[in-house]
Amino acid sequence: SYMLHWEMIEHAGNVGATTYSMGRSSIGSGVHKYKSQWPAREQEIYFNLNRPSGVSLKDLKWLTKVWKRMPGVLVDRLGPPIAKRIY
């Protein structure tokens, strides 16, 4: 992943870009620690919901257990349509 980012940053510079975004991550997460190794400026991003937040999928532990036990073929078919509605 270091080489990939290095090449992408280099390419961005070669085409005249002045900014390269490594994407967002939660503070303190493993991804955030990885990104912190690069000499970059952090930009805090605030989440804004335009609808009341309901039940979080993280709270539905039983659903996670069911999902893990489903056959891969079924997960592959159901995953993308469900993810579109969630994310």
Side-chain angles (χ1 to χ4, degrees), residues 8-63:
M8 291 170 50
I9 292 167
E10 185 176 47
H11 173 72
N14 289 339
V15 297
T18 57
T19 303
Y20 175 77
S21 173
M22 295 186 83
R24 60 187 187 193
S25 57
S26 299
I27 294 175
S29 68
V31 174
H32 181 255
K33 290 175 185 174
Y34 163 78
K35 292 175 184 178
S36 297
Q37 297 175 53
W38 291 86
R41 178 180 58 88
E42 288 189 28
Q43 176 82 34
E44 190 165 355
I45 298 174
Y46 298 95
F47 293 95
N48 184 14
L49 296 175
N50 59 359
R51 58 182 162 75
S53 60
V55 176
S56 171
L57 286 177
K58 292 177 183 177
D59 296 335
L60 303 175
K61 305 233 184 275
W62 65 269
L63 185 58

